[in-house]
């Protein structure tokens, strides 16, 4: 509900509990929140994991402030919510992607700068160039061990890397030397709690903020939806609808 999880309360739909690819489910009433009125069910379905995780990283754990700079890796579900929440809070956003087209979409959504990590494999150097050598205050780290060392190198003094995902594989350089030199912080993030979810929904309702739904697949095409995600074709969220 609130605070730090305990072993007894450590539960999230999808991991470690069953996910929600079902027509009907029985859920604990304490685990449900009200859908913000300006959202459809399909839009609301995107919030429980990706959005709450990004909110937790930036608003609770990271406590970003107006004028901070946030670096979001890639243009998947978590990172696009992070972009939207960071902009809502007056932060500057630098986003990376393997696609120029997706970077253009991210800029249309409010990103200040984009870096194509295919064209710039040493993307941390681009981050430093864009921040006049200062580095960023917060990194939304969805790559894991494959991107971690460059996230540390992108950080400014006293900044935070929120470790959320493992998209860049399980091999790589995670040398923490830069983190130490910059008095930085590495913070693991595991989704969030109900209090965070409700605060996030209030902020979204006041600002009429809508999740970015890339594509909606019908229930009987669920496998095609997963394949579409694996092909990295999407921007933001994919929804499977009944
Ligand atoms: N800790 C938690 O509580 C929590 C909660 C939610 C999700 N996660 C995890 O966080 C990760 C992100 O989730 P998601 O829902 O946002 O995934 P997603 O929507 O599938 O994100 C995919 C996108 O990530 C980008 N990407 C992939 N490899 C990359 C790399 N090496 N460097 C930079 N960007 C890369 C690509 O963006 P471009 O196509 O733009 O390059 C890709 O399209 C996953 O590992 C997921 O399991 C963890």
């Amino acid at each position: 509900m609130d605070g730090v999880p305990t072993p007894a309360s450590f539960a999230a739909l999808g991991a470690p509990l069953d996910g929600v690819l079902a027509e009907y489910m029985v859920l604990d009433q304490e685990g449900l929140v009200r859908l913000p009125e300006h959202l459809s069910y399909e839009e609301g379905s995107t919030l429980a994991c990706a959005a709450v995780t990004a909110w937790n990283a930036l608003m609770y754990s990271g406590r970003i402030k107006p004028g901070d700079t946030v670096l979001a890796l890639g243009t998947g579900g978590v990172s696009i919510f992070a972009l939207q929440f960071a902009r809502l809070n007056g932060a500057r956003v630098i986003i990376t992607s393997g696609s120029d087209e997706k970077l253009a979409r991210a800029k249309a959504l409010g990103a200040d700068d984009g870096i194509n990590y295919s064209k710039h494999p040493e993307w941390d150097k681009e981050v430093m160039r864009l921040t006049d050598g200062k580095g960023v205050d917060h990194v939304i780290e969805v790559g894991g061990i494959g991107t971690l060392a460059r996230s540390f190198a992108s950080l400014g003094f006293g900044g935070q890397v929120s470790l959320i995902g493992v998209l860049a594989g399980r091999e790589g350089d995670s040398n923490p030397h830069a983190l130490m030199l910059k008095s930085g912080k590495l913070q693991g993030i595991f989704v969030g709690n109900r209090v965070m979810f409700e605060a996030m929904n209030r902020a979204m309702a006041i600002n009429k903020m809508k999740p970015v739904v890339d594509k909606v697949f019908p229930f009987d095409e669920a496998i095609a939806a997963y394949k579409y995600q694996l092909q990295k074709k999407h921007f933001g969220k994919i929804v499977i609808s009944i």
Side-chain angles (χ1 to χ4, degrees), residues 34-40 205:
R34 183 180 285 275
L35 178 71
E37 275 177 21
H38 71 296
L39 298 184
S40 66

Side-chain angles (χ1 to χ4, degrees), residues 53 75-78 97-98 102 117 164-168 189 191 229 234:
T53 302
T75 58
V78 173
S97 176
K102 290 185 184 181
Y117 59 77
I164 294 170
V166 291
L167 287 171
I189 300 286
V191 203
Q229 183 178 21
H234 64 292

Side-chain angles (χ1 to χ4, degrees), residues 32 38 96 120 132 166 234:
L32 301 174
H38 71 296
T96 71
H120 298 282
D132 298 324
V166 291
H234 64 292

Side-chain angles (χ1 to χ4, degrees), residues 12-14 17-20 22-33 48:
L13 294 171
L17 306 179
D18 283 348
V20 293
E23 289 166 289
Y24 297 96
M25 294 187 75
V26 179
L27 294 161
D28 189 322
Q29 64 183 2
E30 301 297 341
L32 301 174
V33 300

Side-chain angles (χ1 to χ4, degrees), residues 14 20 22 26 30 61 67 78-80 83 94 100 105 111 113 115 122 141 146 150-151 176 204 210-211:
V20 293
V26 179
E30 301 297 341
S61 171
V78 173
S79 294
I80 293 301
L83 158 62
I94 302 174
D100 285 340
R105 283 180 75 181
D113 295 286
I115 302 169
E122 297 184 332
E141 176 37 277
R150 293 196 188 282
S151 289
M204 289 184 73
K210 293 247 185 183

Side-chain angles (χ1 to χ4, degrees), residues 24-102:
Y24 297 96
M25 294 187 75
V26 179
L27 294 161
D28 189 322
Q29 64 183 2
E30 301 297 341
L32 301 174
V33 300
R34 183 180 285 275
L35 178 71
E37 275 177 21
H38 71 296
L39 298 184
S40 66
Y41 283 110
E42 283 160 356
E43 289 165 337
S45 74
T46 68
L47 301 179
C49 185
V52 175
T53 302
W55 181 268
N56 181 1
L58 294 178
M59 305 306 299
Y60 277 79
S61 171
R63 298 186 182 281
I64 59 162
K65 305 177 297 302
D68 280 358
T69 302
V70 172
L71 170 66
L73 303 190
T75 58
V78 173
S79 294
I80 293 301
F81 276 119
L83 158 62
Q84 291 176 292
F85 294 142
R87 293 298 297 154
L88 217 58
N89 285 281
R92 174 187 178 192
V93 177
I94 302 174
I95 195 158
T96 71
S97 176
S99 148
D100 285 340
E101 192 202 329
K102 290 185 184 181

